[in-house]
């Protein structure tokens, strides 16, 4: 027997039932984005590899281990996008969006790719929803962007969510602190995990994120960045906090918060959900004031976030009933089947959702199918050439002319 195909490791199919929940999530996100003036954008599913190397950072897990990189036929190195912020910034620079009124507020949704070890809530192809406000360094932008994700989570009804907040300071101010942190790590090198030890010079902040026991002990009394912010960074952070409080967004300060991408400056945040296991972050982000300049654009401060669609769905864990059809057309015998198909086409063009049997079912089978499609009404072409309309809720029936059905069921 021929070998059966399976979806590649870490990927999955979304079947219609599950799709209904995704659609609801996207619709809710679209409303939240539209209300705050974030416009949908889309960038390609792959980019030049150097965009991520330069944007996300060579010392990050994403660039070191998780990218799906391939060569095209012209010998160029391309990578399936592991995240959306570097591509959006590339698009901002390439399309001269700095000439528009600032900040430019963009939203996106789509598939992303990381070669990670698959587990619940962690996949090799997953979906993100994201928002970026590019071209403002004001704490007002931080507060608006964070509130946006908070409102989305609230509106979807995701239970058990906590917002964690911190500041990484600006790049210059951070340098001095990093020196201190490196000395702390070097002094206790033999207690650290190999991974953390290897990256002391490249990316010492990641040590805060380690679940290695020895490393955790070393980090418990490590110097903390929040105690080392300069005056401007500290004031910025205070304002962000005050604005969030004024917008009734609750948060906790987490001085050990770090993120897996190198571009962050100042505010960082993470929404975690206690209903999820190890992969508990449903979304997060922060400021990236240096990224656009790093990608060859003008100095442009910005802030944004991305949320994992699959993680939100896991946290919601409730069924969404797909909306039923307006009408099901059933046919007794075979004589009227062509008429039924033609009427279905006409009604669909008029905006009515209609299903008609394509499988040669008996009238009994068709009535069962009408129930399954959750149709509000069924039009039955009877064997004698007459027709009747049945209300599937009340079970009441009335004789009708098929030509009058549109008028009878057209929503007011
Ligand atoms: P990130 O934290 O790497 O940030 O990813 C954002 C969200 O994507 C995570 O919180 C998680 O919910 C989801 N996610 C990440 N990896 C996976 C995976 N392998 N499987 C399932 N879900 C996953 C970013 O990507 C930044 N671009 C966010 C950002 C936007 N920062 C500023 N603007």
């Amino acid at each position: 027997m021929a070998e059966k195909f399976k979806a590649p490791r870490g990927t999955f199919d979304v079947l219609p039932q599950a799709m209904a929940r995704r659609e609801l999530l996207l619709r809710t996100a679209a409303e939240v984005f539209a209300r705050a003036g974030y416009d949908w954008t889309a960038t390609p599913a792959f980019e030049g590899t150097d965009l991520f190397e330069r944007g996300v950072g060579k010392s990050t897990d994403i660039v070191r281990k998780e990218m799906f990189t391939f060569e095209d036929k012209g010998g160029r190195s391309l990578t399936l996008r592991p995240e959306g912020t570097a591509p959006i910034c590339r698009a901002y620079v390439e399309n001269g969006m700095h000439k528009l009124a600032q900040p430019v507020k963009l939203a996106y949704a789509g598939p992303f790719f990381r070669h990670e070890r698959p587990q619940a809530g962690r996949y090799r192809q997953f979906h993100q929803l994201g928002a970026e406000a590019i071209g403002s360094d004001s704490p007002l932008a931080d507060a608006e962007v964070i509130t946006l994700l908070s409102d989305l989570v609230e509106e979807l009804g995701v239970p058990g969510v906590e917002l964690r907040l911190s500041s990484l300071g600006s790049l210059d101010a951070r340098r001095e602190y990093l020196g201190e942190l490196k000395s702390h790590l070097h002094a206790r090198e033999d207690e650290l995990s190999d991974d953390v030890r290897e990256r002391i010079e490249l990316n010492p902040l990641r040590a805060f994120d380690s679940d290695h026991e020895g490393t955790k002990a070393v980090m418990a009394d490590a110097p903390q960045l929040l105690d080392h912010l300069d005056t401007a960074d500290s004031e910025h952070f205070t304002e962000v906090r005050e604005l969030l409080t004024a917008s009734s967004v609750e948060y906790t300060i987490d001085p050990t918060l770090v993120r897996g991408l190198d571009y962050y400056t100042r505010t960082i945040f993470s929404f975690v959900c206690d209903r999820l296991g190890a992969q508990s972050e449903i979304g997060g982000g922060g400021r990236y004031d240096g990224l656009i300049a790093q990608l060859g654009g003008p100095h442009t401060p910005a802030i944004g976030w991305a949320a994992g669609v699959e993680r939100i769905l896991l946290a919601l864990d409730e069924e969404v009933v797909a909306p039923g059809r307006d009408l099901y057309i059933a046919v007794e015998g075979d004589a009227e089947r062509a008429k039924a198909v033609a009427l279905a086409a006409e009604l669909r063009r008029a905006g009515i959702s209609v299903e008609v049997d394509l499988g040669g079912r008996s009238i009994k089978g068709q009535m069962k199918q009408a129930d399954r499609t959750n149709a509000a009404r069924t039009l039955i072409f009877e064997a004698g050439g007459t027709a009747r309309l049945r209300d599937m809720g009340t079970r009441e029936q009335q004789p009708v002319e098929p030509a009058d059905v549109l008028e009878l069921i057209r929503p007011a």
Side-chain angles (χ1 to χ4, degrees):
M1 217 167 57
E3 194 194 335
K4 286 204 179 116
F5 290 109
K6 282 185 155 183
R9 187 166 147 75
T11 71
F12 50 86
D13 301 309
V14 184
L15 301 179
Q17 187 92 37
M19 206 70 201
R21 307 177 67 220
R22 277 172 189 260
E23 277 174 2
L24 184 67
L25 194 160
L26 282 176
R27 261 203 314 277
T28 309
E31 281 166 20
V32 171
F33 288 146
R35 291 202 297 255
Y38 287 71
D39 297 324
W40 284 119
T41 39
T43 60
F46 55 85
E47 299 271 354
T49 302
D50 45 354
L51 174 68
F52 300 113
E53 285 176 348
R54 198 136 39 106
V56 173
K58 280 203 162 136
S59 70
T60 59
D61 281 346
I62 294 180
V63 171
R64 288 192 338 155
K65 310 184 214 164
E66 297 169 1
M67 298 208 297
F68 282 94
T69 296
F70 59 98
E71 224 174 69
D72 74 1
K73 292 196 163 69
R76 285 169 288 258
S77 179
L78 298 173
T79 292
L80 296 183
R81 57 181 186 179
E83 65 99 43
T85 308
I88 291 265
C89 290
R90 196 255 321 126
Y92 177 93
V93 175
E94 188 174 337
N95 296 287
M97 287 196 251
H98 61 280
K99 291 185 218 124
L100 305 175
Q102 305 292 305
V104 175
K105 304 201 294 187
L106 304 172
Y108 54 93
F112 291 84
F113 308 86
R114 294 183 194 177
H115 198 285
E116 297 194 76
R117 202 165 43 77
Q119 62 180 82
R122 190 162 72 190
Y123 312 97
R124 291 185 175 172
Q125 175 173 341
F126 58 98
H127 296 77
Q128 283 187 350
L129 272 171
E132 316 282 351
I134 305 177
S136 166
D137 63 2
S138 165
L140 298 170
D142 303 47
E144 179 175 287
V145 159
I146 297 171
T147 304
L148 200 64
L149 181 50
S150 171
D151 284 355
L152 176 61
V153 164
E154 180 90 359
E155 201 146 324
L156 288 166
V158 186
V161 177
E162 183 186 86
L163 164 59
R164 297 187 184 152
L165 190 67
S166 191
S167 172
L168 293 176
S170 51
L171 286 177
D172 286 342
R174 201 186 307 164
R175 216 156 278 137
E176 194 183 320
Y177 163 78
L178 289 181
E180 236 180 86
L181 179 61
K182 284 180 201 169
S183 311
H184 177 80
L185 292 172
H186 279 306
R188 294 173 64 178
E189 254 187 71
D190 49 344
E191 297 171 57
L192 302 172
S193 72
D194 294 346
D195 202 42
V196 169
R197 194 181 317 117
E198 275 166 26
R199 281 195 278 177
I200 294 182
E201 286 307 317
L202 265 179
N203 197 347
L205 280 175
R206 291 300 288 174
F208 281 110
D209 221 11
S210 172
D211 44 21
H212 174 262
E213 286 307 322
T215 307
K216 281 207 267 190
V218 174
M219 297 322 286
D221 43 36
Q224 290 186 346
L225 186 43
L226 270 187
D227 300 328
H228 291 71
L229 296 184
D230 71 13
T231 312
D233 293 341
S234 179
E235 279 172 10
H236 183 98
F237 193 46
T238 305
E239 273 188 65
V240 173
R241 291 164 56 176
E242 285 171 0
L243 287 163
L244 287 175
T245 304
S247 302
S248 311
V249 175
E250 283 177 25
Y251 57 83
T252 54
I253 301 295
D254 179 356
T256 67
L257 187 64
V258 286
R259 302 197 53 76
L261 303 105
D262 274 358
Y263 47 62
Y264 291 116
T265 53
R266 293 192 158 178
T267 315
I268 52 168
F269 54 94
S270 172
F271 285 77
V272 290
C273 172
D274 64 13
R275 308 296 148 100
L276 300 177
Q279 304 305 316
S280 63
E281 187 186 272
I282 56 170
R287 256 197 184 279
Y288 46 95
D289 292 344
L291 179 56
I292 289 180
Q294 208 174 316
L295 298 177
H299 168 72
T300 314
I303 179 162
W305 52 259
V309 168
E310 287 76 20
R311 293 199 191 160
I312 293 180
L313 292 172
L314 275 174
L316 280 173
D317 191 31
E318 73 194 28
E319 273 208 23
V320 169
V321 180
R325 313 284 181 262
D326 298 321
L327 185 72
Y328 188 90
I329 305 182
V331 183
E332 277 176 6
D334 283 330
E336 309 290 345
R337 287 201 186 250
K339 271 196 201 156
V341 169
L343 180 64
E346 187 191 325
L347 292 172
R348 285 171 188 154
R349 288 180 201 126
I352 308 287
S353 61
V354 189
E355 286 219 51
V356 59
D357 178 45
L358 303 175
R361 286 186 179 82
S362 67
I363 185 68
K364 210 167 136 202
Q366 293 176 64
M367 294 311 288
K368 266 200 200 141
Q369 190 62 12
D371 274 331
R372 266 187 232 122
T373 60
N374 212 0
R377 295 184 180 85
T378 301
L379 173 69
I380 302 147
F381 280 90
E382 294 162 327
T386 50
R388 64 181 197 273
L389 188 63
R390 180 182 172 91
D391 186 309
M392 301 299 279
T394 63
R395 307 266 153 196
E396 276 166 25
Q397 311 203 49
Q398 63 181 109
V400 286
E401 275 302 319
D404 299 338
V405 167
L406 178 56
E407 278 316 308
L408 281 171
I409 69 173
R410 195 199 285 276

